[in-house]
Amino acid sequence: MSRRWLLSLLCLSVFFLSLVQLTRAGGEFKIDETSTRILFDREPAEVMLAVENSTGETVHATVHLEVWDPQNRPKTKIYQVESIGAGSQKLKFPLALYFSTMSESERSDLLLYRLRYRVSQEASGGNTLAAGTISLSEITPDLFDLRV
């Protein structure tokens, strides 16, 4: 009797493990915030949004980017339709932000600005694939210049 019980328990566990594999999503779509960059050495500023598409399909999406100042006011925004293939890639977006024309107070507060992003799928009526907020201090590699 105990052998039958062990055999049925083993069959049940294999069945549940196969169900977990079947219900798992085919992949995910996400933004790699640690690899995303905003470059101010170009005029206008350029955002390099690091995207990871592990769904295995090309995604047609609208990418919304907004830069907000410390007083929670939008400074600039852009949206663009992109075809995002499978794998990791960086998408380039020009932002209407000019470092050379900023006032001294805007330059001193620049590291307190935030980049808000939202990636929505075109075909499914605006289904949000990824959204978030990144501090410019985390994604601005070219703002400092160290000289000896």
Side-chain angles (χ1 to χ4, degrees), residues 120-137:
S120 325
Q121 197 167 13
E122 282 267 304
S124 67
N127 180 27
T128 301
L129 298 171
T133 304
I134 311 170
S135 172
L136 258 59
S137 64

Side-chain angles (χ1 to χ4, degrees), residues 4 14 40 56 71 77:
R4 278 190 197 164
V14 168
F40 287 104
Q71 288 76 32
K77 59 177 78 173

Side-chain angles (χ1 to χ4, degrees), residues 54-73:
S54 60
T55 61
E57 301 173 351
T58 299
V59 175
H60 301 284
T62 303
V63 181
H64 295 266
L65 299 176
E66 298 176 336
V67 175
W68 291 70
D69 69 6
Q71 288 76 32
N72 243 1
R73 294 180 303 221

Side-chain angles (χ1 to χ4, degrees), residues 62-147:
T62 303
V63 181
H64 295 266
L65 299 176
E66 298 176 336
V67 175
W68 291 70
D69 69 6
Q71 288 76 32
N72 243 1
R73 294 180 303 221
K75 295 301 276 185
T76 185
K77 59 177 78 173
I78 186 173
Y79 72 93
Q80 192 169 312
V81 177
E82 293 283 332
S83 290
I84 304 167
S88 297
Q89 53 198 302
K90 287 195 177 183
L91 306 175
K92 294 181 184 180
F93 300 95
L95 281 178
L97 237 128
Y98 298 89
F99 189 75
S100 61
T101 60
M102 287 182 173
S103 68
E104 191 62 37
S105 65
E106 286 178 322
R107 286 183 186 182
S108 65
D109 287 344
L110 189 62
L111 293 178
L112 301 175
Y113 283 40
R114 295 167 316 280
L115 175 73
R116 292 185 181 166
Y117 63 87
R118 184 170 45 90
V119 182
S120 325
Q121 197 167 13
E122 282 267 304
S124 67
N127 180 27
T128 301
L129 298 171
T133 304
I134 311 170
S135 172
L136 258 59
S137 64
E138 299 291 324
I139 60 172
T140 311
D142 63 346
L143 201 57
F144 299 102
D145 189 22
L146 182 64
R147 296 179 189 206

Side-chain angles (χ1 to χ4, degrees), residues 4-69:
R4 278 190 197 164
W5 186 79
L6 285 175
L7 183 59
S8 61
L9 184 64
L10 177 66
C11 290
L12 241 138
S13 61
V14 168
F15 174 72
F16 283 125
L17 286 175
S18 67
L19 279 181
V20 168
Q21 197 65 272
L22 289 175
T23 58
R24 202 173 113 204
E28 66 179 349
F29 185 93
K30 66 179 186 173
I31 303 298
D32 183 7
E33 294 182 357
T34 59
S35 298
T36 296
R37 298 284 176 256
I38 185 166
L39 306 171
F40 287 104
D41 60 348
R42 296 172 174 86
E43 295 279 332
E46 186 176 65
V47 174
M48 311 247 325
L49 193 67
V51 177
E52 293 180 14
N53 179 5
S54 60
T55 61
E57 301 173 351
T58 299
V59 175
H60 301 284
T62 303
V63 181
H64 295 266
L65 299 176
E66 298 176 336
V67 175
W68 291 70
D69 69 6

